[in-house]
Amino acid sequence: MRWRRISSSSPGRVGRWARSSEGREDILTYGISVAVACLLRAYVVEPRYIPSESMLPTFRVGDQLAVEKVSRRGGRFLRRFQRDLRRGDVIVFRPPDRLAEVMEAEYGGHGTSGIGPNEALIKRVVAVEGDRVRIARGGLYLNGRRQVEPYTNEPDRANYRYGPLVVPRGRVLCLGDNRNASLDGHIWGTLPVENVIGRAIFVYWPPWRASRKDGVAVSAAAAAAGAEEIYY
C-alpha cells in the first residue's frame, strides 16, 4: 500500500485561498448559511423523530416531525406570531421535574436512563389553565362534558381514572393519543408552559406519511437531517 506524502505547503495554500477574493466570498457564504440555519433551528423550526408508540395513531414510530417554535419562543421580533397553547395542540416539551420524582419513587429510576433534562417528550394538550378535568369510565371529561376524541388509539377506553382536577395557572394537562401506553400527565401531573419547546405541525418523513397533523398533504422536499429523538 502506498502512502501519499502530505506537502508541508498545504497550510500555505489554505492561507492563500482564504486571503483571495474567491476564498473570502466562500467563507462569507458558508458563515451566513450556518448562522441562518442556527437561527432557524433556535427560533423557527427544528426536526424531531418518534421512537415510541405513545402517540399512535397520530404519529408512528420512525415518523420525523417539524416542530415550530415561533408561537412559543419567537423572541420580540416574531412576537406577533406568538399565541397561548390551545386544547388539541400537539406539543414537544422538556420533561417536568415531577416525572423524575415519580419514576424514582415507582421504579427506582429504572427505565428512564434515556430521559434527561435536555431530552424531549411529545403529547397532546387536553386541558389548559382553569379547566376542570377528569378521566372516568374510559373517557375524558372537560368542564363537566365528555369529550369526543377520534384521534385517540382506543376512543373512550382509557383503563385508568384521573382527577377531578382544576388545571393551575401557567400549566396544561398533556396526554398521549395512545392513552393506555403513554407516560403522560395522568402519571406525572400538569406541565409548566415554560417547558414547552414548540408545536408539532407536520410529518415530513417518511414521504408517504408526509402531511400536516390535520391530514393536509405537504411536500417532503424540506426534510432535514439530524432529527432529534422524542421520548415516550
Side-chain angles (χ1 to χ4, degrees):
M1 181 176 181
R2 297 182 62 183
W3 295 90
R4 186 167 64 92
R5 185 176 180 180
I6 300 176
S7 171
S8 60
S9 62
S10 294
R13 289 201 298 271
V14 173
R16 287 195 297 273
W17 170 79
R19 289 191 296 271
S20 69
S21 59
E22 180 183 357
R24 289 195 298 270
E25 183 177 339
D26 288 347
I27 291 172
L28 179 62
T29 299
Y30 299 150
I32 292 174
S33 299
V34 170
V36 168
C38 290
L39 287 172
L40 286 173
R41 187 180 180 94
Y43 295 102
V44 180
V45 66
E46 70 175 52
R48 296 274 181 170
Y49 77 91
I50 301 289
S52 78
E53 298 182 345
S54 72
M55 285 298 290
L56 283 173
T58 307
F59 300 121
R60 301 176 185 174
V61 174
D63 281 355
Q64 298 194 20
L65 318 174
V67 178
E68 72 86 12
K69 306 167 80 171
V70 174
S71 62
R72 302 304 307 163
R73 305 171 62 187
R76 63 188 183 92
F77 296 109
L78 297 173
R79 189 168 297 165
R80 69 173 64 183
F81 300 106
Q82 295 178 9
R83 68 168 179 80
D84 293 333
L85 294 173
R86 302 170 184 169
R87 302 182 198 101
D89 284 345
V90 177
I91 59 173
V92 174
F93 55 93
R94 296 183 300 277
D97 295 338
R98 178 64 179 154
L99 172 60
E101 295 171 5
V102 169
M103 297 306 292
E104 182 65 32
E106 294 293 329
Y107 306 106
H110 297 298
T112 61
S113 59
I115 306 178
N118 296 321
E119 303 298 345
L121 292 85
I122 182 169
K123 303 288 177 236
R124 186 182 298 272
V125 176
V126 299
V128 298
E129 64 176 62
D131 283 339
R132 182 177 177 84
V133 59
R134 70 186 178 101
I135 298 172
R137 297 191 292 275
L140 173 70
Y141 290 80
L142 197 62
N143 300 319
R145 295 185 176 182
R146 191 176 181 109
Q147 303 298 296
V148 177
E149 300 181 288
Y151 45 75
T152 58
N153 195 40
E154 297 177 288
D156 299 324
R157 292 186 180 180
N159 60 11
Y160 55 85
R161 298 177 64 90
Y162 179 81
L165 168 79
V166 175
V167 179
R169 184 177 181 181
R171 289 176 172 261
V172 293
L173 178 66
C174 305
L175 301 176
D177 288 353
N178 192 2
R179 293 287 159 84
N180 295 323
S182 177
L183 183 64
D184 56 27
H186 86 277
I187 295 174
W188 43 258
T190 57
L191 174 75
V193 295
E194 60 264 25
N195 282 41
V196 178
I197 297 170
R199 294 184 306 126
I201 51 174
F202 63 81
V203 175
Y204 65 76
W205 194 265
W208 53 88
R209 290 207 11 99
S211 67
R212 293 174 62 95
K213 63 183 177 68
D214 58 10
V216 180
V218 297
S219 170
E228 295 184 37
E229 188 173 37
I230 305 173
Y231 288 86
Y232 295 90

